[in-house]
Amino acid sequence: MIKSMTGFGRHEMVTDECKISVEIKAVNHRYLDLGIKMPKKFNYFEASMRTLLKDHIQRGKVDIFVTYEDYTDAKVFLKYNRSLAQEYMDSFKKMSDDFGIDNDVKVSMLARCPEVLTMEEVPEDEEHMWELLKNALLKACEGFVESRIREGENLKNDLIGKLDHMLELVDFIEERSPKVIAEYRQKLEDKVKELLASASVDDSRIATEVTIFADKICVDEETVRLRSHIEGMKKELLAGGSVGRKLDFIAQEMNREANTILSKSTDLEISDRAILLKTEVEKVREQIQNIE
């Protein structure tokens, strides 16, 4: 199936311990660009998160926002650094001896010395925390991918409609082209007869001029290739998958053929259709930029 590169997904994982919220949103981009914003405590899991996300997303500028709320009591403890406290006491005694002053240090004063007492967090159960985060991330990815598929289906239907219209324009050009040559021959004969009055018309000369003209305006190769590109694009759309880059390349080829048809045309009706073709190709290219 076809996926759009724009999408949105969100999920909250709530337990007695915590709440983890994951939000994913994306816009079109030439490659996969993952931007993850999350609490520092989850930084350890970033590589695993990127691997998981790449299993679900191939292209797009994707922003992932992770928030965390802890429902448990503060997981911290007070740590007493005895060796550092001893160094402070040794230094105080030396100061007392050096300057002949009383060593009146009390416990309350020693406790205020830097790093003697510190607050430290209880180490997290990383495996358990990753399971919670992974489940929230997977659920958010599911919603995100579903939104991309829904929009992708709309894009596919719209593109197929545009491609069918382009085929109608190609049909008209192929049908009209032989008539343009016939009309040119008739005009040429009428003009020569008018100029020569009663003199006889050299049919071979007329045929040569018509052949030269036909060769200049011939777009048979261009319409055949353009038709092939249009049918090829429809086939890729119906087959699905990550075909955005391939479709963009096909659209470039379609634009090239439409340009050539317009440059060769001397007929107003064919020129009008060629302009419409170019317009439709541009619309198609614009839409393709949103396909993964």
Side-chain angles (χ1 to χ4, degrees), residues 114-133:
E115 305 299 325
V116 171
L117 295 177
T118 55
M119 301 291 288
E120 293 193 3
E121 288 190 7
V122 177
E124 294 279 2
D125 182 347
E126 291 181 352
E127 186 175 340
H128 175 64
M129 190 58 68
W130 167 240
E131 282 302 312
L132 293 176
L133 177 58

Side-chain angles (χ1 to χ4, degrees), residues 99-145:
F99 299 104
I101 57 178
D102 292 338
N103 185 356
D104 58 352
V105 177
K106 295 182 178 180
V107 171
S108 57
M109 177 181 172
L110 183 62
R112 289 195 295 271
C113 291
E115 305 299 325
V116 171
L117 295 177
T118 55
M119 301 291 288
E120 293 193 3
E121 288 190 7
V122 177
E124 294 279 2
D125 182 347
E126 291 181 352
E127 186 175 340
H128 175 64
M129 190 58 68
W130 167 240
E131 282 302 312
L132 293 176
L133 177 58
K134 182 175 73 171
N135 289 335
L137 195 59
L138 283 171
K139 291 292 185 183
C141 276
E142 287 176 11
F144 174 76
V145 171

Side-chain angles (χ1 to χ4, degrees), residues 80-248:
Y80 164 47
N81 192 332
R82 188 183 185 287
S83 60
L84 183 60
Q86 184 63 59
E87 289 184 27
Y88 277 119
M89 291 302 295
D90 292 343
S91 295
F92 293 149
K93 184 177 183 306
K94 190 173 187 308
M95 290 167 64
S96 175
D97 294 341
D98 288 346
F99 299 104
I101 57 178
D102 292 338
N103 185 356
D104 58 352
V105 177
K106 295 182 178 180
V107 171
S108 57
M109 177 181 172
L110 183 62
R112 289 195 295 271
C113 291
E115 305 299 325
V116 171
L117 295 177
T118 55
M119 301 291 288
E120 293 193 3
E121 288 190 7
V122 177
E124 294 279 2
D125 182 347
E126 291 181 352
E127 186 175 340
H128 175 64
M129 190 58 68
W130 167 240
E131 282 302 312
L132 293 176
L133 177 58
K134 182 175 73 171
N135 289 335
L137 195 59
L138 283 171
K139 291 292 185 183
C141 276
E142 287 176 11
F144 174 76
V145 171
E146 285 174 8
S147 73
R148 279 186 149 194
I149 290 173
R150 283 195 301 271
E151 189 169 336
E153 189 66 19
N154 294 333
L155 279 173
K156 181 184 76 174
N157 294 334
D158 182 64
L159 284 168
I160 288 176
K162 287 180 169 60
L163 293 170
D164 286 339
H165 182 218
M166 290 170 65
L167 286 174
E168 292 173 4
L169 295 173
V170 173
D171 288 340
F172 178 88
I173 292 170
E174 289 179 335
E175 184 181 343
R176 174 65 183 158
S177 292
K179 296 178 182 177
V180 173
I181 298 171
E183 290 171 5
Y184 176 77
R185 181 185 182 100
Q186 187 60 51
K187 287 178 183 178
L188 189 59
E189 288 179 351
D190 292 345
K191 189 68 174 178
V192 171
K193 286 178 181 177
E194 180 185 335
L195 292 173
L196 297 178
S198 59
S200 60
V201 177
D202 185 351
D203 288 335
S204 63
R205 182 60 180 168
I206 293 290
T208 301
E209 291 296 330
V210 172
T211 300
I212 294 171
F213 174 75
D215 186 58
K216 286 181 179 179
I217 70 163
C218 180
V219 292
D220 291 352
E221 291 183 12
E222 286 78 8
T223 54
V224 168
R225 285 195 294 267
L226 183 52
R227 184 184 295 279
S228 174
H229 293 324
I230 294 170
E231 295 290 359
M233 185 174 285
K234 286 181 67 175
K235 183 179 177 181
E236 292 294 336
L237 284 167
L238 294 171
S242 298
V243 294
R245 290 178 185 169
K246 188 171 184 179
L247 295 182
D248 188 44

Side-chain angles (χ1 to χ4, degrees), residues 42-77:
F42 290 148
N43 285 350
Y44 178 79
F45 306 124
E46 183 171 349
S48 298
M49 291 173 68
R50 288 182 180 276
T51 299
L52 187 150
L53 289 163
K54 287 176 182 177
D55 289 338
H56 295 80
I57 310 166
Q58 280 69 53
R59 290 177 69 201
K61 187 180 187 307
V62 187
D63 291 314
I64 303 96
F65 303 93
V66 181
T67 59
Y68 175 82
E69 292 181 38
D70 194 343
Y71 293 157
T72 61
D73 293 333
K75 296 179 179 180
V76 294
F77 66 94

Side-chain angles (χ1 to χ4, degrees), residues 2-65:
I2 295 295
K3 296 177 188 173
S4 167
M5 274 197 284
T6 57
F8 178 83
R10 190 175 189 278
H11 186 75
E12 285 186 354
M13 179 65 66
V14 182
T15 69
D16 293 338
E17 308 166 40
C18 64
K19 179 173 78 172
I20 299 176
S21 300
V22 178
E23 185 176 294
I24 306 174
K25 60 181 182 179
V27 294
N28 59 326
H29 194 271
R30 190 173 181 183
Y31 305 107
L32 177 60
D33 180 10
L34 297 174
I36 303 175
K37 295 182 180 178
M38 58 186 174
K40 287 183 179 179
K41 70 187 305 169
F42 290 148
N43 285 350
Y44 178 79
F45 306 124
E46 183 171 349
S48 298
M49 291 173 68
R50 288 182 180 276
T51 299
L52 187 150
L53 289 163
K54 287 176 182 177
D55 289 338
H56 295 80
I57 310 166
Q58 280 69 53
R59 290 177 69 201
K61 187 180 187 307
V62 187
D63 291 314
I64 303 96
F65 303 93

